[in-house]
Amino acid sequence: MSARYVWNLQEAGETQIAVVGGKGAHLGALSRIEGVRVPDGFCVTTEAFRQVVAGAPAVGAQLDRLSGVDADDREAIRTLSAEIRRTVEGIALPGDLAAAVTGALNRHGERAAYAVRSSATAEDLPTASFAGQQDTYLNVIGPEAVLRHVSRCWASLFTERAVAYRQRNGVDHRTVHMAVVVQHVVFPQASGILFTADPVTGNRRVATVDAGFGLGEALVSGLVNPDVFKVRGDEIIDKSIAAKQCAVQALPDGGTQEVPIDAGQREQPALTDEQVVRLVQLGRRIEGHFGSPQDIEWCLVGDGFRIVQSRPVTTLFPIPDADDRENHVYVSVGHQQMMTDAMMPLGLSMWQLTAMVPMHEAGERLFVDVTRRLASPASRAGLLDAMGKGDPLVRDALETVLDRFGFVPSLPDEGPGGPPPGGAPAPIGTDPAVVRELIRRSEDSIAALERDIREKSGSALFDFLLDAFAEHKRVLSDPLSMQAIMAGMEATWWLNDRLQEWLGEKNVADTLTLSAPGNVTSEMGLALLDVADAVRPHPEVVAYLRSVGEDEGFLDGLAKVAGGAEARDAIDAYLDRFGMRCVGEIDITRPRWRERPTALVPVILDNVRIFEPGAAGRRFEEGRQRALAKERDVLSRLRALPDGDRKAEETKRMIDRVRTFIGYREYPKYGIVGRYFLYKQALMREAERLVRDGVLAEKEDVFSLTFEEFRDVVRANAVDERLVQRRREAFRAYRALTPPRVLTSEGDAVNGAYRQRDDVPAGALTGLPVSAGTAEGRARVILDVAQAELEAGDILVTTFTDPSWSPLFVGITGLVTEVGGLMTHGAVIAREYGLPAVVGVERATRLIRDGQRIRVHGTDGYVELLS
């Protein structure tokens, strides 16, 4: 029976997490690495925990109550978790279990000093470290004390912090079990933590050692500041020696105590330089064994190191795979596309297959390798300029990497990135017919795709899609389309630069482009106001829409309500035009509005409440009149200047040009998303067939497969269910990571910074000005567009906005985002609607409180916190 309850540490390994928990499994694996010394001991297995809990029905009832608690209800979590801990600690240990533990103590030394340490099955895993969420007890002496502390470790599975973490991360409390590691305590002269990758920068080639005197509890508890060493290769590149006032040492009869350090020793390093380098070499060996950066707890005993724990560092952003050992610099695609969330494998692979440049995956996000463009002086300037116009923080991050001597090699000027063969394309005339022709081409291509894809299935569908992706790229690379986009952007830059130079006024183009024709994204927001007009006259329809909840079939029932037929027709017409859109629309796995129309209901109801009938037409006309008035004002002031007639004539040409082309800037994305929805509908028909055939449990399983893997499943009519499950678990873990703007092949996560400014008030948040004007109002911090509840005059604060957020823009007075640039979606639509906007405000959703009064300075690029 004892074999069920106790395993020697050397028996444990990485495949026995379910038996000995994450910590026990890691320690067992560590003990078998050559040159790594781990204090001896044993594990009380998860079977012991299960037996004890099964014998206490009260725990099951308490877990039932806990499962119904909201992750944000801290008080309920605190109360229930304390109740469960008291119950677990109060359970009497069965005799056979106590005998098994006591027998193990006899074999290892009954009166020896032990560390009794929790080891949960969801602890120290490659994708999620639960470090510090359960308990460790040092210098425990005697069987009675060890058994008591085993119970306390079991109870620590339900600390408030551990429970809240599992609630937030969707981990079922009943699926996590607790083993307990019982190890000989070592009495070190120094101890600490070794990170085999820099935990601050992410650099995988720089190790960080934190060191202090005595037991490591002094460092972990924050009692003393550690000595900090940074090591690259075998060289210490930086070190900081702290004044260590005290240490924690073991007491002879058990327990620990805090003791002062002699004045002469306080500022002495806890380790010599030679010991630091040797420790890092040992850490690299451990890292090599586990295959990922490690967070290692170590002790110095004599002149040798004991390793008491090693866990994966799960907070580092992963690095894209490369087929060489050269240095690489990657730029985040998500920051350009206004979608920094993790993407499912099918979404990633579809974007890679349809993108115009090679894209590399890391952390379920996509990156573009810009190393060669940075390496050539000819292309470097153009790249930095383009990135700076889009997002100054990306440019600053790239310049930070360039400042690292030798990281990016220098290529000759004739390297890649020079002028395209045949020279730059000729500029196009200011002719609205150009835009009409481009839209016609796109519509014809999508109509052909819709016609041809309808009957495709099986392997033939995937072959067809590969050809469709080639057409997709051809449409995207249409030279005329690029010329039209650049014409609008270049006219915007010309107007802002020249009119600031000539008239001293910033960002004049923001007003001159109000209500520019042909902006399909701004039309999307205004069209939902028209939908609200069809709903507003019918109280029964309003009441029905308030009750729909998550019923995605609500449109069928809507027609049965008085006035519902008109409302349904209006919503259907809107979905016919815009139903392919959704939040995070570059990820094909995200539910589209046509698939989940309830996402639009809160916005429709807000529009019904906030606006009067005919608001869409009035808003567009008001914007157009403001733009015309600004044009007259600018031209009049220019004519009064020296050489004014010429300046006014040039400016008028550029105003006409910007209003002709700037609206088209949003159209290519609309076309892409339209094609994506057709791809998705065809692929989901195939997924539904696989469900009917019993190959898949549910159609969404295909989201965890790449396009190529999906095709293989269709051909074989079989799927690797374990692969699907692993992908889901990885997605949950990566979803919690924040991607950097720039990432290097060494792991440096670089986000850039704004230059110090003297014109920003103290306490204000700095960002990029993208839409002129000043707005003051209540901040609404909204992370999910479906949860938005806005009042007239509110200022939207969020991480990023893609086109699906446009319907909210009609009801707000200002915009603040954490991600964005001059020509990204939020900026373009904010200018179109005349909303003062500041983007690229780091941590805005955390630094601005929901409901707080703020003032947005869209001309100068900062946000004041007023209350």
Side-chain angles (χ1 to χ4, degrees), residues 354-357 425 438 441-442 445 468-485 664 668-669 672 675:
T354 54
M356 299 304 297
V357 296
L438 287 167
R441 291 182 190 178
S442 177
S445 177
F469 297 160
E471 167 66 6
H472 184 120
K473 293 182 181 181
R474 187 198 65 75
V475 172
L476 278 183
S477 61
D478 185 336
L480 186 62
S481 179
M482 291 305 301
Q483 288 172 300
I485 291 170
Y664 179 72
K669 182 78 168 286
I672 290 171
R675 299 181 71 90

Side-chain angles (χ1 to χ4, degrees), residues 645-663:
D645 288 343
R646 178 189 62 81
K647 291 174 180 174
E649 183 181 343
E650 289 181 8
T651 300
K652 172 59 176 168
R653 279 202 306 273
M654 283 299 176
I655 292 173
D656 291 345
R657 190 168 180 80
V658 79
R659 291 191 65 82
T660 296
F661 292 115
I662 200 64

Side-chain angles (χ1 to χ4, degrees), residues 335 391 393-394 738-741 750-754 765-768 798-799 816-820 838-848:
H335 285 82
D391 182 348
L393 292 178
V394 173
T738 301
R741 286 178 168 83
V750 192
N751 278 301
Y754 292 109
L765 308 180
T766 305
L768 177 67
T798 189
T799 47
V816 179
T817 69
E818 294 180 343
V819 177
V838 180
V839 302
V841 180
E842 289 287 278
R843 301 174 62 233
T845 59
R846 282 164 283 182
L847 297 173
I848 299 172

Side-chain angles (χ1 to χ4, degrees), residues 527-528 530-531 555 565-579 594 600 670:
L528 208 57
D530 291 334
V531 172
L555 288 173
E566 179 190 351
R568 185 195 60 186
D569 290 347
I571 295 172
D572 260 333
Y574 185 87
L575 291 173
D576 285 344
R577 190 176 180 200
F578 300 112
R594 177 54 86 178
L600 294 172
Y670 176 78

